[in-house]
């Protein structure tokens, strides 16, 4: 009798242990429980069970989200399922994972659900460089832009995500949104994302500049050139193309304004500040434009003197020639009794002295014989002494 009782006790205890195990098993809890229980089972699953529970939860959400659309509890389960969705599942079948999480994204209006999907997509894309994820977010942003969807935290998050994982299509969509003021409240994140995408989208930006009018070029300057977050080489290359395009506009319209003159100067300064020597030929072409702007009063003596300094910084053999020729013109005016702007004369002499090319000897020497103020004559003599023979 005692033996039988002992066996029954052991069996009962075993049964209780098994029952207790099933009671705490997340999968059992998920199957038998309400939605709150399902959320808890996904959140509480240990590392070994987490992937399985997340996939099960995603399937449950997909199966029921059209039956109880935008239910708050189901949204909570969707967020828990997405946040715990395993990377291994994505790596093994990225297309299926994107389709499932994408269906949840579009199946809920809840911003928190959509943001959780974008967070997960960003994480996966950074680890696997999935072009499909970038394409998914691009498609959403383009549709939202075209539909003029009112900006929400979802659009803000999508813009932020493509900032780090986006491609040239992301750049095109974001630039169009900013240019057309689609989401005025999101101007700051749009500029930040465009800044981050500038280097990988430089070709697209240069094509855009080539098609731009002056107003759009001003916008491009403010976003990409007047922006310390972008590398100096990228800023200089953009400035070079803006300078080139603006000079084409001047040539085709045969008109110059103070606004255009200042814009040209601003781009030239970027080129000189970054020692962008490959723009030397362009700067030499600009010199004649700058002279006419100076003569018309669109730029000051000091500003034109800066142009001369910029040309010296980006020096080439041709830059020596144009400065020698210009000093010759200034000397001719002085010889006629017309005193040129001394700030400009001084800038030319200084540049020629710094360049040290012996071809400037004759014009510098002639300067010393003219009736310039003593300070200019002394500067010309000093420049002569610095020439390289």
């Amino acid at each position: 009798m005692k033996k039988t009782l002992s066996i029954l006790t052991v069996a009962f205890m075993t049964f209780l242990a098994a029952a207790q195990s099933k009671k705490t098993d997340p999968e059992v809890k998920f199957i038998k429980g309400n939605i709150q229980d399902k959320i808890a089972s996904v959140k509480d699953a240990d590392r070994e069970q987490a992937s399985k529970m997340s996939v099960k939860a995603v399937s449950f959400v997909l199966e029921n989200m059209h039956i109880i659309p935008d239910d708050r509890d189901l949204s909570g389960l969707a967020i828990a399922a997405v946040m715990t969705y395993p990377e291994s599942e994505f790596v093994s079948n990225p297309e299926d994972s994107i389709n499932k999480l994408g269906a949840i994204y579009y199946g809920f209006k809840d911003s928190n659900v959509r943001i959780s999907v974008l967070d997960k997509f960003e994480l996966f894309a950074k680890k696997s460089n999935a072009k499909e994820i970038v394409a998914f977010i691009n498609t959403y942003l383009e549709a939202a832009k075209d539909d003029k969807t009112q900006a929400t935290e979802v659009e803000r998050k999508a813009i932020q995500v493509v900032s780090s994982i986006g491609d040239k299509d992301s750049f095109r969509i974001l630039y169009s949104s900013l240019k057309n003021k689609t989401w005025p409240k999101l101007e700051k994140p749009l500029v930040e994302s465009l800044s981050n995408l500038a280097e990988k989208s430089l070709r697209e930006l240069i094509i855009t500049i080539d098609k731009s009018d002056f107003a759009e070029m001003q916008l491009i300057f403010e976003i990409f050139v007047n922006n310390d977050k972008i590398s100096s080489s990228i800023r200089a290359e953009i400035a070079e193309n803006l300078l080139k395009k603006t000079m084409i506009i001047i040539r085709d319209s045969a008109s110059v304004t103070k606004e255009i003159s200042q814009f040209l100067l601003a781009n030239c300064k970027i080129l000189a500040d970054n020692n962008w020597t490959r723009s030397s030929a362009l700067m030499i072409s600009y010199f004649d434009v700058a002279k006419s702007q100076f003569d018309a009063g669109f730029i000051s003596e000091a500003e034109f003197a800066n142009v001369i300094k910029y040309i010296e910084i980006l020096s080439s053999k041709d830059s020596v020639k144009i400065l020698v020729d210009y000093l010759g013109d200034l000397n001719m005016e002085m010889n006629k009794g017309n005193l040129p702007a001394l700030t400009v004369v001084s800038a030319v002499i200084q540049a020629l002295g710094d360049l040290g090319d012996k071809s400037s000897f004759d014009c510098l020497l002639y300067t010393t014989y003219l009736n310039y103020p003593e300070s200019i004559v002394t500067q010309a003599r000093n420049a002569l002494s610095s020439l390289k023979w």
Side-chain angles (χ1 to χ4, degrees):
M1 181 68 180
K2 289 183 177 179
K3 185 176 182 180
T4 302
L5 183 60
S6 177
I7 292 172
L8 288 173
T9 301
V10 172
F12 180 69
M13 293 300 291
T14 303
F15 171 78
L16 284 178
Q20 185 66 27
S21 176
K22 287 188 177 180
K23 185 177 180 181
T24 58
D25 187 327
E27 189 171 8
V28 173
K29 186 176 183 179
F30 185 92
I31 294 170
K32 297 183 68 175
N34 58 28
I35 293 182
Q36 289 300 327
D37 291 330
K38 288 176 170 51
I39 294 172
S41 68
V42 173
K43 291 168 61 179
D44 298 340
D46 59 30
R47 182 172 295 182
E48 292 182 4
Q49 294 174 309
S51 296
K52 182 178 181 181
M53 296 308 303
S54 177
V55 172
K56 187 179 286 292
V58 165
S59 297
F60 182 87
V61 170
L62 290 171
E63 185 178 344
N64 294 284
M65 64 185 185
H66 301 298
I67 301 172
I68 47 173
D70 293 307
D71 177 80
R72 181 171 292 182
D73 290 335
L74 191 63
S75 294
L77 179 59
I79 292 169
V82 171
M83 290 177 66
T84 57
Y85 194 82
E87 183 184 349
S88 58
E89 193 74 16
F90 174 77
V91 172
S92 63
N93 197 338
E95 183 177 355
D96 182 61
S97 296
I98 292 172
N99 287 340
K100 286 179 177 178
L101 298 186
I104 290 175
Y105 184 87
Y106 282 108
F108 287 84
K109 294 179 182 177
D110 189 320
S111 295
N112 292 323
V113 175
R114 290 187 163 187
I115 289 172
S116 70
V117 173
L118 292 171
D119 276 329
K120 183 60 68 170
F121 277 168
E122 181 178 21
L123 178 64
F124 287 163
K126 284 182 176 179
K127 292 187 175 182
S128 62
N129 193 29
K131 293 181 180 179
E132 296 87 351
I133 287 177
V134 177
F136 177 92
I137 301 175
N138 285 348
T139 298
Y140 172 75
L141 281 172
E142 183 135 52
K145 172 180 69 72
D146 292 344
D147 294 342
K148 294 181 170 57
T149 301
Q150 185 173 357
T152 68
E153 288 305 305
V154 175
E155 284 69 44
R156 183 186 295 273
K157 182 64 179 181
I159 290 166
Q160 178 257 309
V161 171
V162 295
S163 173
S164 58
I165 68 171
D167 58 13
K168 62 181 182 180
D169 288 328
S170 310
F171 179 89
R172 174 182 54 79
I173 295 163
L174 298 186
Y175 177 74
S176 174
S177 302
L178 183 66
K179 174 187 171 184
N180 296 315
K181 302 184 184 301
T182 306
W183 297 307
K185 294 180 179 179
L186 300 182
E187 181 175 325
K188 185 176 179 180
L190 280 168
V191 170
E192 289 176 353
S193 293
L194 286 167
S195 300
N196 290 337
L197 292 170
E199 186 164 355
K200 65 172 72 172
S201 306
L202 184 59
R203 177 174 172 78
E204 285 66 34
L205 183 53
I206 290 173
I207 291 171
T208 300
I209 291 171
D210 194 50
K211 298 176 181 177
S212 298
D213 59 15
F214 180 61
E216 186 170 358
M217 286 195 293
Q218 289 176 302
L219 173 65
I220 291 170
F221 181 90
E222 285 305 314
I223 298 172
F224 301 104
V225 180
N226 194 23
N227 187 340
D228 292 337
K229 293 182 180 179
I230 297 178
S231 70
S232 59
S233 60
I234 296 299
R235 293 168 63 210
E237 188 157 358
I238 296 169
E240 180 184 10
N241 282 274
L242 288 171
L243 178 61
K244 188 185 305 179
K245 175 64 176 180
T246 308
M247 288 173 62
I248 291 172
I249 290 176
I250 291 173
R251 182 197 66 195
D252 292 345
S253 65
S255 64
V256 181
T257 65
K258 187 172 182 63
E259 189 177 26
I260 289 176
S261 301
Q262 294 299 315
F263 185 72
L264 289 167
L265 271 174
N267 283 288
C268 288
K269 184 177 187 304
I270 294 293
L271 297 177
D273 287 348
N274 291 286
N275 198 28
W276 199 245
T277 54
R278 78 176 210 184
S279 66
S280 177
L282 179 63
M283 287 289 288
I284 289 169
S285 298
Y286 165 64
F287 183 72
D288 283 337
V289 175
K291 278 197 297 184
S292 62
Q293 291 171 344
F294 171 58
D295 292 340
F298 291 134
I299 61 177
S300 67
E301 288 184 25
E303 288 169 335
F304 187 45
N306 284 336
V307 171
I308 293 166
K309 180 65 177 177
Y310 299 155
I311 289 173
E312 179 225 316
I313 291 171
L314 305 174
S315 61
S316 69
K317 189 71 175 177
D318 291 334
S319 64
V320 175
K321 184 178 186 311
I322 65 162
L323 293 176
V324 166
D325 290 345
Y326 187 53
L327 183 57
D329 293 340
L330 295 174
N331 285 342
M332 285 179 62
E333 288 299 310
M334 187 64 203
N335 197 40
K336 294 176 184 177
N338 302 320
L339 181 65
L342 295 180
T343 303
V344 174
V345 177
S346 176
V348 178
I349 294 171
Q350 183 67 48
L352 289 173
D354 290 342
L355 289 169
D357 193 288
K358 62 183 180 181
S359 62
S360 58
F361 175 81
D362 289 341
C363 68
L364 287 171
L365 181 63
Y366 186 53
T367 302
T368 65
Y369 293 119
L370 295 172
N371 195 28
Y372 281 112
E374 186 59 34
S375 59
I376 295 294
V377 174
T378 300
Q379 188 180 16
R381 288 182 180 135
N382 291 337
L384 279 168
S385 66
S386 65
L387 299 183
K388 302 177 181 67
W389 296 90

